[in-house]
């Protein structure tokens, strides 16, 4: 530590504090008085219903992959509260630029479940979100790490130039904050005072790399401070706190008060993707302990304590959610594949002549390569 005693040549010029917000304890009891939306029966139930439906969809998607009917899939088990909070915090006119684990937010904004299965099945139509829904102007899933974050800067800059009262929310994992793309975007967001919220989904692991090995920072929230923007933590397994913090950050951005970074603390209860085996690098006890902080179990306990949820409600939701997940899977499996030349359709607004012959050759060969 530098010598800052009286008469020293060294003086303190800056400091920071990082704050964590939590309304629900891991057992579902209240840590603080909740915001109004969490005391409204219908709003409170809607958050839980979306969490459970997302978990049931996720379970079916994993089963499809395990039986060879779907490509590699990134499960959201244990992190559902974050997507639910995003979906309820954003307004319809805002733009969501996701990574690849916030399915609940996409469902809330109008993305049909079957589109997510199509995406992971390698079908371009999985990124065709319905006109007339908020998702139509959102971005599709982004698997490359952090490459979508600079795109969010471009969208937010366009909103500012047009004088629109809209906000961009860009989500990413904790590992993305170690990429240059991410740092450049955070710096630009503050320099241009853009209407953007960065959500860092901190599940403790960047694939097989634990947080303490990919960064020396005490928190990911403080990385926003390095770029001059507000940074804070929220318990990402507390859907009430996550929605509350995101709504506050989104409205700051909407009112011209600049960008924010929110670090949502959670835990990935599944492998990184279905191509991964987390047992190779993650202690079993760590996963067992994380189940005690499960966002679904926590929030259900809260609803039951308030008299907002019953065993009959639970049975009905599980039955309905399971049926929807199953019908979604069947719709996906029955969808006829695209023609091989479809791979050329989404690269350019107008296909260059240098690629036209390739498209025509692929089309001539047919769906089985001409054999």
């Amino acid at each position: 530590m530098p010598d800052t005693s009286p008469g020293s040549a060294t003086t303190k010029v800056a400091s920071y504090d990082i704050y964590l917000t939590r309304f629900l304890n891991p057992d579902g009891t209240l840590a603080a008085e909740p915001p109004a939306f969490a005391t409204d029966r219908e709003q409170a139930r809607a958050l839980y219903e979306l969490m459970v439906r997302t978990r049931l969809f996720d379970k079916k998607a994993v089963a499809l992959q395990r039986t060879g009917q779907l490509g590699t899939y990134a499960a959201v088990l244990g992190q559902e509260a974050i997507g639910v909070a995003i979906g309820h915090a954003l307004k319809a006119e805002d733009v969501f630029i996701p990574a690849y684990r916030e399915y609940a937010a996409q469902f809330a904004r109008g993305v049909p479940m079957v589109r997510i299965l199509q995406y992971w099945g390698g079908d371009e139509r999985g990124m065709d979100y319905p006109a007339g829904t908020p998702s139509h102007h959102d971005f599709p899933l982004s698997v490359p790490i952090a490459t979508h974050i600079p795109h969010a800067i471009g969208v937010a800059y366009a909103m500012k130039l047009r004088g629109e009262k809209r906000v961009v929310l860009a989500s990413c994992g904790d590992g993305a904050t170690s990429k240059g793309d991410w740092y450049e975007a955070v710096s630009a967001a503050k320099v241009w005072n853009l209407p953007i919220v960065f959500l860092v989904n901190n599940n403790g692991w960047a694939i097989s790399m634990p947080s303490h090995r990919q960064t020396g920072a005490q928190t990911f929230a403080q990385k926003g401070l390095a770029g001059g923007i507000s940074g804070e933590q929220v318990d990402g397994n507390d859907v009430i706190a996550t929605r509350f913090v995101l709504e506050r950050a989104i409205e700051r951005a909407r009112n011209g008060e600049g960008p924010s970074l929110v670090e949502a603390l959670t835990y990935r209860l599944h492998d990184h993707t279905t191509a991964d085996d987390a047992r190779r690098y993650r202690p079993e006890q760590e996963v067992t302990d994380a189940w005690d902080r499960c966002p679904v179990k926590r929030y259900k306990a809260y609803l039951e304590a308030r008299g907002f949820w019953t065993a009959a409600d639970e049975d009905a939701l599980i039955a309905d959610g399971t049926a929807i997940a199953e019908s979604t899977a069947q719709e996906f499996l029955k969808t006829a594949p695209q023609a091989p030349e479809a791979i050329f359709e989404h690269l350019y607004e107008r296909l260059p002549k240098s690629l036209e012959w390739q498209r025509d050759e692929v089309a001539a060969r047919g769906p089985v390569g001409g054999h």
Side-chain angles (χ1 to χ4, degrees):
M1 289 287 293
D3 176 14
T4 57
S5 59
S8 169
T10 303
T11 57
K12 184 177 181 179
V13 296
S15 63
Y16 66 84
D17 293 297
I18 298 296
Y19 295 95
L20 167 69
T21 299
R22 176 186 294 123
F23 287 104
L24 292 181
N25 295 312
D27 62 359
T29 58
L30 284 169
E33 191 62 27
F37 68 79
T39 62
D40 179 278
R41 183 177 185 275
E42 294 310 310
Q43 287 195 65
R45 284 167 59 95
L47 297 175
Y48 182 71
E49 289 170 357
L50 181 55
M51 261 201 290
V52 173
R53 291 180 188 279
T54 301
R55 179 163 289 192
L56 292 169
F57 164 84
D58 193 62
K59 180 180 179 181
K60 187 62 182 181
V62 171
L64 288 172
Q65 191 281 330
R66 297 304 194 212
T67 54
Q69 300 176 92
L70 184 68
T72 298
Y73 172 77
V76 68
L77 184 65
Q79 302 177 213
E80 299 91 346
I82 296 171
V84 171
I86 294 170
H88 282 263
L90 288 171
K91 292 185 176 180
E93 64 268 24
D94 295 331
V95 174
F96 180 41
I97 301 184
Y100 50 82
R101 222 184 288 272
E102 284 78 51
Y103 308 127
Q106 295 179 290
F107 298 155
R109 292 179 62 77
V111 176
M113 288 183 174
V114 71
R115 292 288 187 271
I116 302 300
L117 296 182
Q118 287 176 316
Y119 177 89
W120 291 111
D123 191 327
E124 292 281 358
R125 291 170 293 186
M127 296 185 285
D128 184 14
Y129 301 157
T133 70
S135 67
H136 190 61
H137 52 245
D138 290 346
F139 279 41
L141 283 72
S142 177
V143 172
I145 305 302
T147 57
H148 62 301
I149 304 300
H151 299 165
I153 294 297
V155 175
Y157 199 94
M159 290 175 176
K160 183 175 181 179
L161 284 176
R162 295 171 179 172
E164 298 172 342
K165 298 285 276 188
R166 302 168 70 194
V167 176
V168 175
L169 190 150
S171 66
C172 64
D174 47 289
T177 68
S178 292
K179 295 288 294 296
D181 317 54
W182 190 87
Y183 281 105
E184 292 169 12
V186 167
S187 177
K190 178 59 179 179
V191 170
W192 294 327
N193 199 45
L194 299 180
I196 187 169
V197 175
F198 300 101
L199 173 65
V200 177
N201 195 326
N202 179 8
N203 61 30
W205 293 86
I207 309 183
S208 61
M209 185 70 69
S211 297
H212 70 272
R213 289 190 59 197
Q214 61 131 325
T215 182
Q218 183 179 354
T219 69
F220 290 97
Q222 72 198 58
K223 293 189 176 187
L225 299 172
I229 71 176
S230 169
E232 62 180 308
Q233 289 184 331
V234 66
D235 186 337
N237 283 5
D238 175 356
V239 69
I240 297 174
T242 308
R243 174 177 166 177
F244 174 80
V245 167
L246 287 178
E247 284 182 338
R248 187 171 57 185
I250 288 168
E251 289 314 301
R252 283 200 302 265
R254 197 184 312 281
N255 294 329
E257 297 174 41
S260 299
L261 186 155
V262 175
E263 176 190 356
L265 303 175
T266 184
Y267 193 84
R268 168 167 52 84
L269 292 171
H270 198 273
D271 301 326
H272 174 68
T273 69
T274 52
D276 175 42
D277 183 358
R279 293 172 299 179
R280 297 176 300 166
Y281 55 81
R282 201 166 60 175
E284 183 178 344
Q285 188 60 48
E286 180 180 292
V287 181
T288 300
D289 292 344
W291 274 104
D292 291 334
R293 304 189 299 275
C294 168
V296 175
K297 181 176 70 174
R298 179 186 304 198
Y299 191 54
K300 180 184 176 185
Y302 165 77
L303 292 179
E304 290 174 335
R306 292 199 80 97
F308 288 170
W309 199 253
T310 66
D313 291 329
E314 184 75 7
D315 291 343
L317 177 59
I318 295 296
D320 187 57
T322 300
I324 290 174
E326 180 60 36
S327 64
T328 298
Q330 292 306 312
E331 180 183 356
F332 164 68
L333 294 173
K334 292 176 181 178
T335 302
Q338 291 178 289
E341 62 270 22
I343 62 174
F344 294 91
E345 292 178 1
H346 304 285
L347 292 173
Y348 302 93
E349 182 179 11
R350 178 176 297 175
L351 193 68
K353 288 187 177 297
S354 60
L355 294 179
E356 287 181 357
W357 69 269
Q358 294 185 36
R359 178 199 58 199
D360 295 342
E361 183 176 298
V362 169
R365 292 181 179 181
V368 292
H371 298 294

